[in-house]
């Protein structure tokens, strides 16, 4: 590849990331309704056709934001798991980190789990960052446990429900630690303590 082509690719990758970052920042500040190609074009100082040369509309932008989010989530969960190497403590730490991530980054969490995207979960086409986040839950269960992926799915599903219901005010936030303890001890099958 020539130096000119390499520079073009770097410039394109930079523009791509600039658009994704601008979309995320705008969503965090004003909500996803505020994220339009017109507003993004103004924010990144490129024309709308340039945006469309990178993304086929808002859903594609949301998907790109979500992929970045899953990379962040995987790293966040990995740090939590590695800081507590015992299975029970690791699972609780990963669950707590997941809920904190959802609370601290509401617009990003919406992009990852609520808004329409073309991402496939639990499939051969699952994006690697999404799989990496899921694998952090799987790693909390003993390797000999043939049902560790099932346990991870149920745990993640319960956490997602807790995050969404808490964010919408449908369950009181003051009961979150008790719910988390119940999940770890009852659903995941680990002893209390």
């Amino acid at each position: 590849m020539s130096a000119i082509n390499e520079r073009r690719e770097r410039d394109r990758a930079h523009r791509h990331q600039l658009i994704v970052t601008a979309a995320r920042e705008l969503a965090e500040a004003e909500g996803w309704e505020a994220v339009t190609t017109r507003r993004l074009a103004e924010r990144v100082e490129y024309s709308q056709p340039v945006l469309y040369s990178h993304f086929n509309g808002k859903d594609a932008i949301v998907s790109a934001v979500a992929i970045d989010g899953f990379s962040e989530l995987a790293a966040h969960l990995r740090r939590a798991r590695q800081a507590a190497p015992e299975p029970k403590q690791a699972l609780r730490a990963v669950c707590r980190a997941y809920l904190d991530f959802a609370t601290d980054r509401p617009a990003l969490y919406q992009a990852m789990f609520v808004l329409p995207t073309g991402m496939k979960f639990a499939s051969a086409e699952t994006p690697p960052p999404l799989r990496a986040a899921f694998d952090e839950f799987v790693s909390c269960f003993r390797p000999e446990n043939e049902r560790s992926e099932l346990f991870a799915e149920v745990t993640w599903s319960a956490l997602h429900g807790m995050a969404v219901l808490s964010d919408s005010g449908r369950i009181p936030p003051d009961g979150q630690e008790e719910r988390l303890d119940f999940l770890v001890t009852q659903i995941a099958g680990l002893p209390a303590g």
Side-chain angles (χ1 to χ4, degrees):
M1 181 181 279
S2 73
I4 292 172
N5 286 339
E6 286 178 17
R7 174 142 195 235
R8 284 184 186 148
E9 286 301 312
R10 279 194 312 273
D11 289 347
R12 182 168 175 72
H14 175 74
R15 273 192 314 273
H16 179 93
Q17 191 57 50
L18 187 66
I19 295 164
V20 169
T21 301
R24 181 176 169 178
E25 289 171 353
L26 188 55
E28 289 292 353
E30 301 179 37
W32 281 103
E33 307 78 37
V35 179
T36 64
T37 54
R38 182 187 58 75
R39 296 247 349 244
L40 284 175
E42 290 170 4
R43 197 159 212 194
V44 298
E45 299 178 344
Y46 287 107
S47 67
Q48 286 184 341
V50 170
L51 264 66
Y52 283 113
S53 75
H54 286 270
F55 299 100
N56 292 329
K58 184 175 176 178
D59 288 354
I61 294 168
V62 171
S63 292
V65 169
I67 294 293
D68 278 2
F70 282 112
S71 292
E72 285 181 35
L73 177 61
H76 189 67
L77 299 179
R78 186 174 312 107
R79 283 190 300 273
R81 181 180 55 79
Q82 290 174 342
E86 294 297 317
K88 188 176 108 186
Q89 290 82 16
L91 180 61
R92 191 174 201 300
V94 167
C95 290
R96 167 55 40 221
Y98 181 94
L99 292 173
D100 290 346
F101 183 93
T103 300
D104 296 344
R105 300 163 183 86
L108 181 58
Y109 192 82
Q110 283 182 335
M112 295 163 65
F113 294 106
V114 179
L115 298 175
T117 68
M119 284 187 290
K120 296 189 187 270
F121 286 63
S123 142
E125 298 158 24
T126 299
L130 196 162
R131 183 65 207 194
F134 178 72
D135 285 345
E136 289 304 319
F137 283 101
V138 173
S139 295
C140 291
F141 298 99
R142 292 189 176 96
E144 65 274 7
N145 182 343
E146 295 175 7
R147 301 177 72 189
S148 60
E149 288 205 3
L150 173 65
F151 282 18
E153 286 175 352
V154 171
T155 302
W156 190 326
S157 299
L159 289 169
H160 174 69
M162 289 167 59
V164 171
L165 292 171
S166 181
D167 182 55
S168 67
R170 290 187 171 98
I171 58 175
D174 59 351
Q176 203 74 306
E177 291 307 311
E178 185 177 1
R179 286 183 210 99
L180 190 52
D181 286 340
F182 181 82
L183 176 65
V184 171
T185 60
Q186 301 298 315
I187 304 296
L190 295 171

